[in-house]
Amino acid sequence: MELIKDTEVRSAYQLLKDSVNHTPLQYDRYLSEKYQATVLLKREDLQKVRSFKLRGAYYAIKKLPEADLKKGVVCASAGNHAQGVAYTCHELKTRAAIFMPTTTPQQKVSQVRFFGGEFADIHLVGDTFDASAAAAKKYCEENGMTFIDPFNDKNIIAGQGTLALEMMTDAESEGYKPDFVITAIGGGGLISGVASYVKNTSPTTKVIGVEPKGAASMQAAFEEEQPVKLTEIDKFVDGAAVQRVGEITYSHSREYVDELMSVDEGLICSTILDLYGKQAIVVEPAGAMSVAALDLMKDQIKGKTVICVISGGNNDINRMAEIEERSLIYEGLKHYFVVNFPQRPGALKEFVSEVLGEGDDITRFEYTKKSNRGTGPVVIGVLLKKPETLPDLLKRLKEFDSTYIELSQHKTLYNLLV
């Protein structure tokens, strides 16, 4: 397979430069001081559709023959690619049938409707991207339209690579020589485009691809030496929850990517909150992955120059409670237990005074089963003041109820009760 190189990316840039934003490459003082490195952020969250996906979608559609463009296009997307296709079709006045998983955040569905206007028809089908894509391809065949793949397409890859052309050009003009470029991986379109340009223009710069721990489909492909379908994925990082990467993106990643790493969804949540709280940067889970990876690379990047691609900022505000919850659990501050409570007055007060530590708090208290017996099971959430006090809490908890259950150790029970 012939791979995309910097020449194809330059050609794509010439077509796109008047249609997409040249997003800024910003020095980040907070992250630079935190990791004792020079950290630069490529702000694709400031793109027209708040995501890099516009680049590939616009280029792939614009490259279609006029006859195919008149028939319209079809796409499947967890949200951002759909927005890019919708925006493009509105600009070019061509029809788009857009298939999205039923799990897509409402904010992204609403944005697709806004960007596409009268030119976009939305179909919510399937629980995963892969199920939605299968329905989209069937619809495409039945209606004689062109399928715009979200990642496994050379024009998509070349379009996404234009952000790398911008950031490497801007870095050079500002006197930076990047040691690392870190970017997210979902289906692999972004990493393929970025890595193709970077490795062909700056071979010594290391390209790091980051996946969510619960959907590491590129890592699985590397291990099996071919794309494979994951049997189960965590859909939380909706922009990167892909069960199987593409053949084309796998080939590009194999050739150009220096290292893959996976980050815990909880760390991603902590990064989202940190970026918002410290710098007022709003990112979606997939958009935070490159910055989250810094925490795993802190020894490796000390004294180095690092570019993190902020791939998107389409975060649904309704998800913030879940994001905070996952962050607290990851940081070791929030814990859930099933505890047998004596069914008598004063039992909860006794628990608070004898089991909880100073500054600890109860965030949930719910009987799972009412009975006439002397005790009843309670789901209790505890928020610690400091994570290191957990061993002492568990010791006191065992004295209160020797049969307590720590729900983090029982995934099925946790999903059922919490």
Side-chain angles (χ1 to χ4, degrees):
M1 180 189 298
E2 189 173 343
L3 303 180
I4 294 293
K5 294 185 172 60
D6 58 304
T7 50
E8 288 92 337
V9 174
R10 292 181 199 278
S11 295
Y13 180 73
Q14 290 305 312
L15 189 149
L16 287 175
K17 64 181 181 179
D18 295 326
S19 302
V20 302
N21 291 339
H22 182 129
T23 55
L25 180 71
Q26 297 177 342
Y27 170 77
D28 192 287
R29 178 186 168 190
Y30 167 69
L31 293 172
S32 295
E33 292 180 357
K34 181 178 180 180
Y35 294 108
Q36 298 175 49
T38 299
V39 178
L40 309 170
L41 302 181
K42 175 59 173 171
R43 296 290 304 277
E44 281 297 291
D45 57 303
L46 301 178
Q47 191 51 259
K48 287 181 179 178
V49 297
R50 295 193 295 201
S51 161
F52 74 95
K53 286 284 191 176
L54 175 61
R55 297 172 182 271
Y58 200 105
Y59 185 61
I61 295 172
K62 189 73 172 172
K63 291 283 284 183
L64 290 176
E66 189 65 30
D68 291 340
L69 195 60
K70 286 181 179 178
K71 293 177 185 176
V73 301
V74 179
C75 79
S77 169
N80 288 337
H81 178 61
Q83 291 183 40
V85 170
Y87 179 93
T88 302
C89 288
H90 189 270
E91 290 288 300
L92 301 180
K93 304 295 185 277
T94 190
R95 296 217 62 79
I98 297 174
F99 286 72
M100 306 175 76
T102 57
T103 53
T104 304
Q106 185 57 43
Q107 183 266 353
K108 289 188 177 181
V109 178
S110 299
Q111 286 296 98
V112 170
R113 288 199 179 97
F114 170 74
F115 287 124
E118 63 183 295
F119 294 95
D121 298 319
I122 299 173
H123 305 260
L124 297 177
V125 180
D127 290 334
T128 65
F129 162 76
D130 301 83
S132 188
K137 289 175 181 177
K138 182 180 178 182
Y139 181 92
C140 192
E141 292 172 4
E142 291 172 350
N143 291 273
M145 300 167 79
T146 301
F147 184 72
I148 306 299
D149 198 284
F151 48 82
N152 198 42
D153 178 275
K154 287 187 177 181
N155 285 334
I156 291 287
I157 290 169
Q160 316 303 28
T162 61
L163 76 85
L165 184 155
E166 290 178 1
M167 75 184 186
M168 296 301 281
T169 302
D170 290 347
E172 184 179 2
S173 68
E174 293 170 26
Y176 297 112
K177 184 169 177 55
D179 298 294
F180 296 93
V181 168
I182 308 174
T183 190
I185 298 178
L190 175 61
I191 191 78
S192 295
V194 169
S196 297
Y197 185 82
V198 170
K199 298 305 282 189
N200 279 288
T201 58
S202 181
T204 59
T205 301
K206 291 187 176 180
V207 177
I208 311 297
V210 189
E211 298 181 279
K213 189 176 180 180
S217 50
M218 187 65 79
Q219 183 63 56
F222 271 41
E223 291 171 358
E224 296 296 324
E225 299 186 345
Q226 62 180 345
V228 293
K229 186 175 181 178
L230 300 179
T231 55
E232 185 180 344
I233 60 172
D234 185 331
K235 304 183 189 92
F236 174 75
V237 186
D238 53 290
V242 176
Q243 286 181 284
R244 185 183 188 275
V245 298
E247 298 282 352
I248 300 173
T249 57
Y250 165 72
S251 297
H252 282 78
S253 297
R254 258 298 185 198
E255 178 67 23
Y256 294 130
V257 176
D258 293 285
E259 184 181 347
L260 296 178
M261 58 176 55
S262 58
V263 291
D264 191 282
E265 282 75 5
L267 175 56
I268 293 170
C269 291
S270 293
T271 304
I272 292 171
L273 297 173
D274 200 37
L275 285 169
Y276 180 72
K278 296 289 197 306
Q279 298 135 291
I281 297 175
V282 177
V283 295
E284 61 189 86
M289 290 201 296
S290 61
V291 177
L294 296 177
D295 215 52
L296 308 180
M297 298 175 64
K298 50 191 169 187
D299 294 331
Q300 193 178 357
I301 64 173
K302 192 175 292 186
K304 305 292 186 181
T305 299
V306 185
I307 297 178
C308 293
V309 177
I310 305 293
S311 58
N314 287 304
N315 197 16
D316 190 339
I317 194 68
N318 295 319
R319 303 183 76 192
M320 289 308 289
E322 181 188 5
I323 289 169
E324 184 176 12
E325 173 91 352
R326 281 182 176 250
S327 172
L328 289 170
I329 291 171
Y330 175 79
E331 301 289 344
L333 291 169
K334 199 166 193 179
H335 302 268
Y336 289 94
F337 307 94
V338 175
V339 180
N340 285 300
F341 259 76
Q343 296 196 35
R344 56 173 171 75
L348 178 57
K349 184 179 179 181
E350 181 183 321
F351 181 89
V352 170
S353 61
E354 295 183 8
V355 178
L356 294 188
E358 185 179 352
D360 295 346
D361 197 8
I362 293 176
T363 60
R364 179 172 175 178
F365 187 91
E366 181 182 347
Y367 276 98
T368 62
K369 183 180 179 182
K370 296 287 187 179
S371 72
N372 293 321
R373 296 181 298 175
T375 62
V378 169
V379 174
I380 188 164
V382 176
L383 182 63
L384 300 178
K385 186 176 182 180
K386 298 178 181 178
E388 58 267 23
T389 61
L390 178 62
D392 289 336
L393 175 78
L394 296 179
K395 184 179 178 182
R396 295 191 297 270
L397 189 54
K398 191 169 185 178
E399 293 172 359
F400 185 85
D401 172 22
S402 62
T403 63
Y404 80 88
I405 299 172
E406 188 175 358
L407 288 176
S408 63
Q409 307 300 316
H410 300 271
K411 186 177 179 181
T412 302
L413 270 180
Y414 179 90
N415 291 335
L416 180 67
L417 298 173
V418 178

